[in-house]
Amino acid sequence: MQDIRFVPATSFKKKPEDPAKMGFGKLFTDYMFVMDYETGKGWHDARIEPYQNFQMDPATAVLHYGQAIFEGLKAYRRDDGGIQLFRPQANFARMNRSAERMAIPKFDEEVALKGLLKLVEIEKDWVPAGKGTSLYIRPTIIATDPFLGVHASHTYRFFIIVSPSGAYYTSGLAPVNIYVEDNYVRAVRGGVGFAKAAGNYAASLRAAEIAAEKGYTQVLWLDGVEQKYVEEVGAMNMMFVIDGKVVTPMLNGSILPGITRDSILTLSRHLGYEAEERRLSIEEVFAAARAGKLDEAFGTGTAAVVSPVGKLCWKGECVGISGGKIGPITRKLYDTLTGMQYGDLPDEFGWIVRID
Ligand code: PLP
Ligand code: COI
């Protein structure tokens, strides 16, 4: 395995004094992990170096054709002061699946994990203490050829930046209102929906803007073929509690296989709830709501954690859920997941990687 070089910084930033005011993804630390790729040479020169701007030729491929993928995970501070990561191997495995779809060369997941552990170890004083706060970790790969031909780049940069953060939604655990999008679609069969491709997020922004103007926090996407089946929300997978059962759309190639989704399904079953992954039509969700059987709804994601949904609106019809409060199953799953992430509950599934 390649060694990881260390380039010391000569100046250091001031750390945030009030964790409550950090927001999400706005502050970055003193160092980052970087490695480069070149055809014939492979991934090389893994290093931890001072956080700094990249210099780019205006013709750089990623700026024109969007060959870029990313990941999101977190480091948590335990009450004993130690630090731990949640399922980082799953993020690097997913990143390599995204890489394959976007014609980006795969990387050695062990090197990436080693680099991440070293980076978090070096930056450990930046990991905030306090429930709801964490060090958000953003691994990214971009195409770097300065060339305007439309084909896969021959050079790439892999980097990991880290950001001390608070809650993703400013509302915290208060339920969010969601607009079911019936015009635009996010992903189609055979497309890149399952990959964490940067362009998926660019494609979602216009619908999110329109929904925000109408007072909604997020857009719920329907399938790109019939606009009939529930897919996911902008930055979260969706779960519904229908007639006592946890139900989530099955993985179909167009939704992101969320690591939180997978963890919540495992925890639901472990806690004794029935949990189903299947095709779920939006009509079924609304019919359940009209019949008083839509007990709870929530989104799952690394940044969003477990976010209760208080209201869903589709084609002019709105349904309230759980009386606009967090429901009991959502609460139990939130407490169990975050309990494991912050080290307050035992790691029963081998999900935790401790830094110290
Ligand atoms: N769906 C989308 C589109 C996302 O961006 C995310 C966030 O990463 C998720 C779902 C949830 O995935 P995970 O739980 O792995 O963070
Ligand atoms: C995450 O939950 O980590 C994400 O990547 C979602 C979003 C912030 C893009």
Side-chain angles (χ1 to χ4, degrees), residues 4-313:
I4 296 170
R5 253 186 336 121
F6 177 66
V7 185
T10 48
S11 65
F12 296 90
K13 298 171 191 162
K14 205 164 162 278
K15 297 192 176 61
E17 272 162 26
D18 183 357
K21 293 198 183 130
M22 287 180 305
F24 173 83
K26 292 194 287 200
L27 305 170
F28 300 95
T29 67
D30 298 309
Y31 288 99
M32 59 185 177
F33 172 80
V34 183
M35 60 181 172
D36 293 307
Y37 179 91
E38 200 181 308
T39 303
K41 211 168 164 189
W43 286 105
H44 61 278
D45 199 15
R47 58 203 185 270
I48 290 182
E49 62 181 28
Y51 188 102
Q52 60 196 306
N53 293 346
F54 292 139
Q55 279 217 355
M56 278 194 200
D57 189 297
T60 300
V62 67
L63 302 177
H64 299 269
Y65 307 126
Q67 205 189 357
I69 55 173
F70 71 93
E71 272 302 324
L73 66 158
K74 287 173 171 174
Y76 305 85
R77 191 174 288 282
R78 295 191 305 273
D79 282 346
D80 68 6
I83 292 165
Q84 55 187 36
L85 302 175
F86 186 71
R87 306 186 72 181
Q89 299 92 338
N91 288 92
F92 290 129
R94 183 171 66 189
M95 196 170 190
N96 259 336
R97 293 198 301 274
S98 300
E100 187 168 33
R101 178 64 183 85
M102 302 306 288
I104 292 171
K106 289 191 182 176
F107 58 89
D108 184 335
E109 291 164 28
E110 277 183 41
V111 173
L113 183 60
K114 193 171 146 195
L116 172 59
L117 296 180
K118 192 165 172 176
L119 177 64
V120 176
E121 166 76 41
I122 289 169
E123 297 293 54
K124 61 177 183 242
D125 293 345
W126 284 91
V127 182
K131 306 296 177 214
T133 69
S134 58
L135 187 73
Y136 184 75
I137 299 165
R138 173 53 62 87
T140 308
I141 302 179
I142 54 170
T144 52
D145 275 6
F147 175 58
L148 295 184
V150 180
H151 67 61
S153 185
H154 299 294
T155 59
Y156 296 87
R157 175 154 291 178
F158 178 124
F159 59 93
I160 306 177
I161 52 174
V162 295
S163 170
S165 291
Y168 184 66
Y169 296 124
T170 44
S171 58
L173 253 190
V176 294
N177 294 342
I178 291 202
Y179 181 78
V180 181
E181 177 60 52
D182 60 359
N183 178 27
Y184 298 105
V185 297
R186 174 184 177 275
V188 291
R189 197 188 297 146
V192 300
F194 71 89
K196 224 163 152 53
N200 284 340
Y201 298 81
S204 75
L205 299 178
R206 184 63 192 131
E209 239 175 30
I210 295 169
E213 279 161 19
K214 295 181 184 157
Y216 300 93
T217 317
Q218 288 267 314
V219 166
L220 187 151
W221 299 102
L222 299 177
D223 73 276
V225 180
E226 296 176 80
Q227 290 200 290
K228 201 167 151 188
Y229 297 99
V230 175
E231 296 246 301
E232 63 185 321
V233 167
M236 318 190 280
N237 293 110
M238 274 305 299
M239 305 249 169
F240 299 89
V241 182
I242 301 177
D243 223 0
K245 279 188 213 163
V246 177
V247 185
T248 194
M250 65 196 226
L251 300 180
N252 58 359
S254 58
I255 68 176
L256 191 81
I259 293 156
T260 320
R261 172 189 179 280
D262 182 75
S263 309
I264 288 291
L265 285 171
T266 302
L267 290 178
S268 297
R269 291 170 184 142
H270 181 69
L271 291 168
Y273 306 124
E274 241 182 280
E276 291 180 349
E277 295 172 76
R278 60 175 171 84
R279 276 222 305 196
L280 175 66
S281 71
I282 189 68
E283 181 51 44
E284 179 184 339
V285 172
F286 272 71
R290 290 180 210 120
K293 290 184 174 174
L294 178 59
D295 307 329
E296 302 178 34
F298 58 95
T300 65
T302 298
V305 196
V306 167
S307 277
V309 174
K311 193 166 91 170
L312 263 184
C313 297

